[in-house]
Amino acid sequence: MTDLLLRSAQVTGRDAPVDVAVDDGRITWIGDRFPGAARRVVDCAGDAVIPGLIEPHLHLDKALLDAEKPNPDGTLAGAVAVTGELKRGFTHESVRRRAGQVLEQAVTHGTTVIRAQPDVDTIVGLLGVEVMLELRATHADLVDLQVVAFPQEGILQRPGTEDLLVEALRAGADVVGGCSYMEPTVEECRAHVDRVFALAERFGVPVDIHADLADDTSDPRFALAGHIADRTRAHGMAGRVTVGHVTSLASLGADARKRAIADLADAGVAVVVLPATDMHLGGRSDDGNVRRGIAPVRDLLDAGVRTGLSSNNVRNGFTPFGNADVLDIALFLAQTAHLGRPDDLADLVRMATEDAAAIVGIGDRYGLHVGADADLVVLAAPTATDALLDRAHRRVVIKRGRIVATTEHTRRLHRAADGHR
Ligand SMILES: [Zn+2]
């Protein structure tokens, strides 16, 4: 007897609904009609089933801070300043409460893997990392949590931060982060990137850098994509380096943009687009013809750059919106980045699932095939792109073969009895 059976599930690549059997946390069978019995059966009734959604870039430690104090002027500098101020009051308990709330919300929206980016700096020290490592253990039944040691305040301009990054990696952080744009000079920005790569090599972990969050590259500190690509090649880290934001790419002329993107593709550097934050903070100095500030997603995809999307921040100085729903971010990206054709929508779903899985390094055990981890979502829609457009709820969320969230939600239309009133 198998553990769990999804009956009549619409799966990408199949013309008709199929049965999906799960045993011992893995998918064991996909086909027309499962012949055996199951301990638990979910009747999908032709609704779409997709692999678990992934948030490859989420600041759980800083979520929900808007309730305490919002960004005074809506700029990136305002966000960094107000968050820095609020961080001084962080306690393990307050971070655990806010982060846990958003983590659980993400799970109800179908997220089964999160790469969290807790700040590591001389203000909070390792507090954020410690809470994330604790949540990684206490919530392991719901979600796989990866922890990035993220130097939000910079490295060179904040002496002591590099030692804290080392401590975070020794304590069990999975990834070394970077925030090169916080350094005051372009030489220091490059040195910041170099130190991040040195730590990656020393600890054998992937790299995930906040490269820039700029409207253009008039400031050379915001043109580091090429340097990150060079370092990736030099350290032999193709496929293990991600850059977030890189909004400056959108400002380059066609030829320069093409060269920069080809460089990222050649080096095997992935990009995670964070449109809710980027559109909110971008274009703040424009008093007309306001720039959008979103990395050029179509160009990145066409050039073969592995590209994902994520919420980044939820309801704080960087992004006063959000509910940790990756499909909501995908729809927002569709609406703001000229991604409206059917193949664009399919690409957005892939960015939120398979491509994100590759970015966070779990591609080998992820997906909807026999042998993959049974991280699955039953959508209240016949296809994944319908779910995107409908903002469909997630009927059932499954983590390693176990049902971890359900949503009961039925809309009914009540017509007048004679149909005319
Ligand atoms: Zn971020």
Side-chain angles (χ1 to χ4, degrees), residues 8 29 65 75 104 148 199 247 263 344 389 398:
S8 195
W29 197 89
L65 287 175
T75 65
E104 289 177 11
V148 181
L199 287 171
T247 52
D263 197 17
D344 293 328
L389 297 171
I398 297 158

Side-chain angles (χ1 to χ4, degrees), residues 268-355:
V269 176
V271 171
V272 172
V273 184
L274 306 154
T277 303
D278 297 342
M279 273 207 81
H280 183 65
L281 297 178
R284 290 282 174 169
S285 62
D286 301 332
D287 61 4
N289 200 10
V290 177
R291 284 168 285 188
R292 296 187 179 208
I294 297 179
V297 175
R298 177 41 63 202
D299 293 352
L300 289 163
L301 292 173
D302 289 349
V305 175
R306 182 86 69 188
T307 307
L309 55 90
S310 203
S311 295
N312 190 40
N313 280 290
V314 175
R315 302 186 198 185
N316 63 15
F318 296 87
T319 320
F321 320 112
N323 58 355
D325 181 348
V326 181
L327 285 188
D328 191 54
I329 295 294
L331 179 60
F332 181 68
L333 187 57
Q335 292 161 332
T336 52
H338 295 156
L339 295 171
R341 298 176 312 186
D343 55 338
D344 293 328
L345 300 179
D347 283 345
L348 287 160
V349 171
R350 208 191 58 236
M351 288 166 72
T353 52
E354 289 161 42
D355 289 348

Side-chain angles (χ1 to χ4, degrees), residues 96-360:
R96 191 182 297 124
R97 179 175 44 76
R98 290 182 291 95
Q101 188 178 331
V102 173
L103 183 155
E104 289 177 11
Q105 190 174 34
V107 172
T108 65
H109 289 141
T111 292
T112 55
V113 178
I114 295 172
R115 179 177 274 188
Q117 301 252 3
D119 288 15
V120 172
D121 55 47
T122 52
I123 304 171
V124 288
L126 297 183
L127 194 159
V129 167
E130 287 162 3
V131 174
M132 293 307 129
L133 293 174
E134 184 191 315
L135 289 172
R136 186 171 77 181
T138 57
H139 289 62
D141 59 326
L142 298 179
V143 68
D144 291 330
L145 192 61
Q146 293 186 0
V147 181
V148 181
F150 171 54
Q152 166 76 75
E153 311 288 334
I155 298 175
L156 287 89
Q157 70 152 1
R158 290 274 183 160
T161 303
E162 192 167 357
D163 290 342
L164 288 167
L165 291 173
V166 168
E167 272 188 64
L169 291 162
R170 281 203 183 118
D174 305 283
V175 180
V176 60
C179 196
S180 52
Y181 66 77
M182 287 299 289
E183 307 294 350
T185 68
V186 66
E187 291 75 22
E188 285 163 304
C189 291
R190 290 204 190 95
H192 177 119
V193 168
D194 297 351
R195 291 193 188 191
V196 169
F197 273 91
L199 287 171
E201 186 159 307
R202 178 170 160 197
F203 286 92
V205 293
V207 165
D208 199 326
I209 296 179
H210 287 58
D212 72 65
L213 217 159
D215 289 319
D216 56 46
T217 54
S218 55
D219 183 331
R221 295 181 303 144
F222 304 145
L224 284 203
H227 184 67
I228 293 168
D230 285 346
R231 291 295 91 203
T232 302
R233 279 184 287 259
H235 286 266
M237 286 192 67
R240 302 190 74 213
V241 176
T242 303
V243 291
H245 303 289
V246 281
T247 52
S248 64
L249 287 176
S251 72
L252 298 172
D255 288 345
R257 190 170 71 241
K258 201 169 180 179
R259 280 197 303 276
I261 290 173
D263 197 17
L264 292 174
D266 173 73
V269 176
V271 171
V272 172
V273 184
L274 306 154
T277 303
D278 297 342
M279 273 207 81
H280 183 65
L281 297 178
R284 290 282 174 169
S285 62
D286 301 332
D287 61 4
N289 200 10
V290 177
R291 284 168 285 188
R292 296 187 179 208
I294 297 179
V297 175
R298 177 41 63 202
D299 293 352
L300 289 163
L301 292 173
D302 289 349
V305 175
R306 182 86 69 188
T307 307
L309 55 90
S310 203
S311 295
N312 190 40
N313 280 290
V314 175
R315 302 186 198 185
N316 63 15
F318 296 87
T319 320
F321 320 112
N323 58 355
D325 181 348
V326 181
L327 285 188
D328 191 54
I329 295 294
L331 179 60
F332 181 68
L333 187 57
Q335 292 161 332
T336 52
H338 295 156
L339 295 171
R341 298 176 312 186
D343 55 338
D344 293 328
L345 300 179
D347 283 345
L348 287 160
V349 171
R350 208 191 58 236
M351 288 166 72
T353 52
E354 289 161 42
D355 289 348
I359 288 169
V360 301

